[in-house]
Amino acid sequence: MVTTDDGTAGMRGFSTQALSLLLAKGEYATIYTCGPEVMMRGVAAIAREAGIDCQVSMERMMSCAFGACGTCNVAMRAGGYASACMDGPVFDAEEVAW
């Protein structure tokens, strides 16, 4: 399903609106998302509400690629941080501190 802010292609609106429509039409086991963090936060919230597993790909600058520099840190709900370069970049949406 294609969405654009102004409707020049596909549905007019946000991808989170399209996701809600898709979930209303069928059953899904897992949602995979990547893109802007604000969008992924919305997708994660929709998935949580629907009781669907959600995996997020956290895009981060990866300066050293072995977890030493901290530029790719992702705040975790349980506390602390995970390195996107070593522990990710894909995380369970429920583990991320949005």
Side-chain angles (χ1 to χ4, degrees), residues 30-35 40 53-60 62 72-76 82-96 98:
T30 305
I31 296 170
Y32 301 96
T33 183
C34 63
M40 292 194 298
D53 179 53
C54 183
Q55 301 290 310
V56 297
S57 182
M58 302 299 286
E59 297 176 15
R60 294 285 193 268
M62 296 183 195
C72 67
N73 284 349
V74 176
M76 304 308 286
S83 297
C85 69
M86 297 296 289
D87 304 314
V90 177
F91 296 92
D92 185 311
E94 291 297 313
E95 295 177 352
V96 176
W98 297 104

Side-chain angles (χ1 to χ4, degrees), residues 5 8 12 24 26 35 37-39 53 61 68 76-77 79 89:
D5 291 347
T8 54
R12 181 179 184 190
E37 195 164 320
V38 68
M39 181 209 67
D53 179 53
M61 173 74 75
M76 304 308 286
R77 181 173 283 172

